[in-house]
Amino acid sequence: MAKATRVSFGEELAAIGATHPDVVVFDADLSKSTQSWMFAEKYPQRFFEMGIQEHNMIGAAAGMALSGKKPFICSFSTFVVGRFEVIRMSIGYSEANVTVVGTHCGVAIGEDGYSQMALEDIALMRTLPNMAIIQPADDREARAAVRFLAEYDQPAFLRLTRQGLEEVHDDNYTFEFGKADELRGGKDAVIFATGGVLHNALQAAEELAAEGLDLRVVNIHTIAPLDVDYVVRAAKETGRVITVEDHSVVGGLGGAVAETLAEHQPTLMKRIGMHSYGRSGTPKDLYTHYELDKDGVKKQIAAFMKG
Amino acid sequence: MDLTLPALQRSAQEMRIDIIKMLHAAGSGHPGGSLSLIDILTVLMTRYVKRTPENVEDPDRHRMVLSKGHGVPALYAVLAKLGVIPHDELMTLRRVDSRLQGHPHNASLFAAEASTGSLGQGLSIAQGMAMTAKLDSKPYKVYCVMGDGETQEGQVWEALLSAPMFKLDNLVVILDYNKGQIDGPTNDIVNLEPLADKLRAFNWDVQEIDGHDFEAIDAALEKAQGYGGRPHFIIAHTVKGKGVSFMEDPTEWHGKAPNDEQAAAAVKELEATLN
């Protein structure tokens, strides 16, 4: 059943409230959208409604972290990560144990258009040396990430989707922070995908198998720190690398993989993602328009493999 | 350490000498805003924050967030006076292997409490610390020392709107109102006045004092100990470069270190007040 990772997050956050008394949650007037309302309802004393004050929310959360709490701060990713300079100083440089939760990531948020879409958030957060970046691809992974982050004691960024995601994992799934998660074997090329478009990449690889292409598909839920050893090994083993993400092709997963390979294993690469500002439309129409749906990803991979 | 006000006033003069010497050794830094701040910080850190080498990492310690991070030489001087850092270490200010970063970095020096230096962020951090004290029903207070120029940042007004909503009467702001910023007199750049009226309209408990009058500083901080449901804001009128006659200028000595001759003259003038 398709479920948005923001919903998985909200449910799991409310669930861990009982076992993690140090967890506090902040929202900036979007708790119904970010799903932090579920925690607020169960633990009203530990929930802080900051109003439409993202800068102040980041700073106050840093202050709470520096005085012993474990804050999760929630908003649309572009509104919170967009206040980057405060994150950089008050969370990153202060080593404040805050998890920044950015929902409504990617062009797939749909009709509200570019102003609400986070398409550059990974790129910004990747520049901070101590910032972990996790982007789950389904319900199980999102829940596991929340449980992991509740125990993590460094700055972190959790990137979540508005739209429902098909399950890619079964009940046996275990989340390993910082580890690449190989979902499909293959030797002709390796596809690294993350978040909401992972399922599309998997389906595209399966259809391309019928056309004789043996494509490996790897889920990168932890973009920072990147599993460098795996990325280099997979590039060596396959000789061709594709990245797929609902984010700018600059600075996100594609950027991270490209930088890594340029240093360790120069490899022919194709970055699939956003090359422009987003626009309004249904999520489905937007994925078709920007070639991020299964057919669009498939078409781009096929062209790359022929080239 | 003698904590009577006359003794603290003398200590502050000694720390002014430290500030001049460390900025001279570093070759860069901010004398004007450090000298305007030192009297406030001396009374605050010794008599109210009560920082000692032993309580630096006590979770229940009173906290001071220096939002105007460029005034950090004054904080380092006080921490040295209190024995939290060795006095000799002051001369390492801004060196590559020093804990004494050019602006406060808590990961280098825990006693700095938070990393600041990008203006306008400290009050939000202090607000969060005060929220923690409330949540845990702890008696510690959180002090935030701000500069006047940085109140031009929008984030400051977010926090000024927000702190009274959380009834943070354990939060005390002291504004080092020295009237100058890099490009000119503060109220010519963006006028803050009428500041007290603005803050009262935002539901803060407001006091206005002479930030170089030790009795006034002490009385204002004593009054701010009260829990009346409102956060406290002390507007402390100060003189930029206070104590060194040729540095007493709203803008000229904001961000440059004294040369050999200037440092010697400043130290001589300050030493004369100790005799």
Side-chain angles (χ1 to χ4, degrees):
Chain A
M1 188 187 72
K3 191 168 181 177
T5 50
R6 64 182 166 131
V7 176
S8 311
F9 156 75
E11 291 172 354
E12 194 62 34
L13 189 66
I16 61 162
T19 49
H20 292 77
D22 54 334
V23 165
V24 293
V25 177
F26 288 72
D27 208 304
D29 198 40
L30 287 170
S31 63
K32 299 292 185 293
S33 297
T34 64
Q35 308 293 322
S36 68
W37 67 270
M38 287 183 253
F39 184 93
E41 215 161 62
K42 279 180 83 173
Y43 303 100
Q45 300 301 316
R46 286 152 59 193
F47 176 81
F48 301 98
E49 172 57 73
M50 297 302 287
I52 306 168
Q53 298 200 323
E54 291 83 8
H55 291 101
N56 193 39
M57 173 171 77
I58 295 161
M64 284 196 102
L66 294 172
S67 49
K69 298 296 176 190
K70 169 73 200 187
F72 284 72
I73 64 174
C74 312
S75 182
F76 286 12
S77 196
T78 198
F79 302 153
V80 62
V81 176
R83 274 64 177 180
F84 178 72
E85 207 267 338
V86 189
I87 294 177
R88 169 184 182 271
M89 279 299 297
S90 294
I91 296 178
Y93 190 50
S94 286
E95 298 187 9
N97 177 10
V98 175
T99 295
V100 177
V101 181
T103 68
H104 292 63
C105 292
V107 74
I109 70 157
E111 291 85 344
D112 274 336
Y114 177 72
S115 71
Q116 321 291 299
M117 290 169 181
L119 299 179
E120 309 85 5
D121 49 342
I122 298 173
L124 284 164
M125 292 297 236
R126 274 189 60 231
T127 61
L128 299 179
N130 56 355
M131 184 67 65
I133 303 175
I134 298 177
Q135 176 163 234
D138 73 358
D139 174 59
R140 282 185 182 83
E141 203 162 273
R143 287 172 178 280
V146 172
R147 289 192 295 271
F148 167 79
L149 287 166
E151 306 278 338
Y152 190 64
D153 65 358
Q154 285 287 303
F157 170 46
L158 179 64
R159 189 178 198 255
L160 303 173
T161 62
R162 173 177 186 269
Q163 78 276 20
L165 301 185
E166 298 296 330
E167 291 181 23
V168 290
H169 300 296
D170 60 25
D171 284 339
N172 298 321
Y173 175 70
T174 52
F175 175 84
E176 279 188 273
F177 175 67
K179 290 290 174 198
D181 171 27
E182 192 177 304
L183 298 175
R184 189 182 197 286
K187 59 178 178 12
D188 293 341
V190 55
I191 303 169
F192 294 113
T194 183
V197 288
L198 172 66
H199 192 256
N200 302 352
L202 257 178
Q203 285 188 314
E206 275 158 22
E207 290 192 10
L208 287 165
E211 298 172 21
L213 280 174
D214 185 19
L215 300 171
R216 187 184 302 189
V217 181
V218 181
N219 170 26
I220 302 291
H221 50 66
T222 307
I223 297 159
L226 188 69
D227 190 345
V228 172
D229 289 347
Y230 182 91
V231 168
V232 170
R233 193 170 74 242
K236 226 176 250 179
E237 286 167 1
T238 63
R240 283 196 184 223
V241 171
I242 298 146
T243 56
V244 186
E245 62 192 314
D246 188 351
H247 179 276
S248 168
V249 291
V250 178
L253 174 65
V257 170
E259 289 164 17
T260 299
L261 294 180
E263 280 188 346
H264 300 286
Q265 181 67 27
T267 307
L268 194 60
M269 240 193 107
K270 169 71 181 173
R271 292 170 302 155
I272 297 175
M274 289 294 294
H275 293 261
S276 63
Y277 292 104
R279 51 185 297 110
S280 289
T282 66
K284 185 173 181 302
D285 288 348
L286 288 167
Y287 265 16
T288 304
H289 181 80
Y290 292 112
E291 297 189 324
L292 289 170
D293 61 350
K294 181 253 296 172
D295 289 340
V297 169
K298 184 179 157 189
K299 185 180 144 196
Q300 293 188 72
I301 293 173
F304 171 65
M305 294 305 288
K306 275 187 200 123
Chain B
M1 186 173 174
D2 186 346
L3 298 187
T4 59
L5 295 176
L8 289 180
Q9 192 158 6
R10 184 186 168 88
S11 290
Q13 291 299 93
E14 290 167 358
M15 286 186 263
R16 282 190 161 90
I17 295 171
D18 288 335
I19 289 168
I20 296 296
K21 286 183 175 171
M22 62 203 283
L23 288 170
H24 175 241
S28 68
H30 300 82
S34 301
L35 293 170
S36 65
L37 176 62
I38 189 67
D39 295 337
I40 296 166
L41 215 53
T42 299
V43 178
L44 177 62
M45 293 300 284
T46 57
R47 287 170 73 102
Y48 293 89
V49 175
K50 299 178 180 166
R51 181 64 63 249
T52 65
E54 292 74 35
N55 70 13
V56 168
E57 297 193 38
D58 179 350
D60 293 343
R61 69 191 181 280
H62 300 300
R63 290 157 166 82
M64 194 286 295
V65 176
L66 184 63
S67 189
K68 51 167 291 184
H70 58 287
V72 78
L75 175 61
Y76 294 150
V78 176
L79 291 174
K81 182 68 84 175
L82 291 168
V84 174
I85 58 174
H87 190 266
D88 288 351
E89 194 175 341
L90 292 180
M91 294 306 134
T92 70
L93 175 72
R94 292 177 168 238
R95 287 199 199 144
V96 69
D97 53 354
S98 175
R99 295 189 293 172
L100 309 188
Q101 292 289 293
H103 292 79
H105 182 215
N106 59 319
S108 295
L109 182 70
F110 188 85
E113 299 284 3
S115 297
T116 55
S118 172
L119 294 173
Q121 298 189 24
L123 182 52
S124 299
I125 294 172
Q127 176 183 342
M129 291 174 172
M131 288 164 79
T132 299
K134 286 286 179 193
L135 185 59
D136 292 345
S137 301
K138 297 278 193 176
Y140 64 80
K141 300 244 179 203
V142 184
Y143 299 89
C144 180
V145 174
M146 297 185 59
D148 47 12
E150 70 173 324
T151 62
Q152 292 160 0
E153 289 281 5
Q155 186 181 343
V156 172
W157 296 90
E158 292 186 359
L160 289 171
L161 274 168
S162 178
M165 291 294 296
F166 292 100
K167 301 187 171 27
L168 299 177
D169 50 13
N170 55 348
L171 174 64
V172 183
V173 178
I174 305 111
L175 181 74
D176 175 24
Y177 198 174
N178 66 25
K179 319 290 189 298
Q181 58 193 96
I182 296 175
D183 276 356
T186 299
N187 287 336
D188 290 349
I189 305 277
V190 175
N191 185 18
L192 307 180
E193 294 300 333
L195 183 58
D197 290 348
K198 289 186 177 97
L199 295 166
R200 287 193 184 101
F202 276 44
N203 296 316
W204 284 68
D205 167 59
V206 182
Q207 303 181 63
E208 200 155 359
I209 61 164
D210 174 346
H212 299 303
D213 177 338
F214 278 66
E215 288 187 7
I217 298 166
D218 188 60
L221 286 166
E222 189 60 40
K223 195 167 166 230
Q225 299 303 299
Y227 292 91
R230 289 176 177 215
H232 306 270
F233 201 109
I234 300 169
I235 300 171
H237 293 277
T238 59
V239 174
K240 207 155 175 169
K242 175 73 176 178
V244 178
S245 51
F246 66 88
M247 288 184 173
E248 291 186 1
D249 179 283
T251 54
E252 194 196 336
W253 285 90
H254 174 88
K256 73 172 176 188
N259 62 26
D260 294 350
E261 200 174 64
Q262 290 160 335
V267 169
K268 192 176 170 198
E269 181 179 346
L270 289 164
E271 277 176 347
T273 69
L274 296 174
N275 297 325

